[in-house]
Amino acid sequence: FDPRHLPDEEEDLSNYGMEKMKALIEFYGTVQRVQLNQMEGVSQPDIVPDETESEWKLFRRVIFVKHKKSSLQQVLSQLLGTTDIAAAFPNLAKLASILEVIPVTTATVERTFSSMKVIKTRLRSRMSDQTLDHAMRICIEGPETLSAATLDAVLDHYKGAKKRRMPL
């Protein structure tokens, strides 16, 4: 769905994204629904494979012509909104709604909680939320390694800082 990955020429659109779309259709094609009526747990196809493939063939051309300069979020909002595009491509709209929640289930969240477990130990349990936030940002978004010059600059900064311990 991301317009940044579209080919430069319109002729290259013929096979663009078909393998990924088939994988998505195969994985999310039938969803178990629980109904509150007399029939519970009836399996109904949410995404019809043949229709979805034909919708994708048309929609990738729409993206190429109208939304090539748009962001992924703008394209997804067009599919998920109450526009004519969402009505014209109902199967793709269902896939887009599924794809919007996928980042919640990725390993990034797991890594974040693992980092928090390393930072906020039993001995550091009284850490304020702000300090925890700053430490998490450094741990997650910081550089993998520090250069020698950067490390020396940080050490010099802390060597020059005044002592904060109070004599008891």
Side-chain angles (χ1 to χ4, degrees):
F1 291 107
D2 196 348
R4 293 178 296 174
H5 302 299
L6 284 171
D8 294 329
E9 302 296 323
E10 194 170 353
E11 294 83 33
D12 298 332
L13 274 177
S14 61
N15 291 326
Y16 171 73
M18 283 306 291
E19 289 180 28
K20 291 180 182 178
M21 191 57 61
K22 286 179 182 180
L24 286 171
I25 293 168
E26 184 179 324
F27 191 77
Y28 295 109
T30 303
V31 176
Q32 293 288 329
R33 286 189 179 162
V34 176
Q35 298 177 351
L36 298 176
N37 300 351
Q38 286 103 7
M39 302 184 330
E40 289 190 15
V42 176
S43 176
Q44 297 176 349
D46 244 8
I47 299 167
V48 182
D50 295 336
E51 290 178 16
T52 307
E53 287 180 24
S54 61
E55 285 178 17
W56 174 244
K57 289 175 183 176
L58 291 171
F59 187 68
R60 65 184 177 197
R61 177 138 168 68
V62 170
I63 295 173
F64 188 83
V65 173
K66 292 186 177 181
H67 300 286
K68 189 154 178 121
K69 303 283 187 218
S70 301
S71 68
L72 173 63
Q73 190 62 32
Q74 291 169 329
V75 172
L76 289 178
S77 67
Q78 287 288 318
L79 264 175
L80 297 173
T82 57
T83 62
D84 294 336
I85 294 176
F89 305 105
N91 293 306
L92 287 181
K94 289 175 187 174
L95 274 179
S97 65
I98 291 169
L99 290 176
E100 268 203 331
V101 296
I102 284 179
V104 174
T105 62
T106 61
T108 306
V109 176
E110 298 292 333
R111 272 187 246 121
T112 302
F113 281 106
S114 295
S115 299
M116 187 169 67
K117 186 177 179 183
V118 169
I119 291 170
K120 191 168 182 174
T121 63
R122 184 178 56 83
L123 297 174
R124 294 189 209 164
S125 62
R126 294 182 58 193
M127 185 184 302
S128 70
D129 288 341
Q130 184 180 13
T131 305
L132 178 64
D133 180 52
H134 292 298
M136 292 287 294
R137 286 178 192 267
I138 291 169
C139 181
I140 295 168
E141 299 172 8
E144 294 291 322
T145 58
L146 290 176
S147 66
T150 305
L151 186 57
D152 289 339
V154 170
L155 289 174
D156 290 339
H157 173 74
Y158 282 105
K159 283 179 186 175
K162 65 181 186 177
K163 299 194 186 253
R164 299 200 180 260
R165 285 205 175 190
M166 294 176 45
L168 294 175

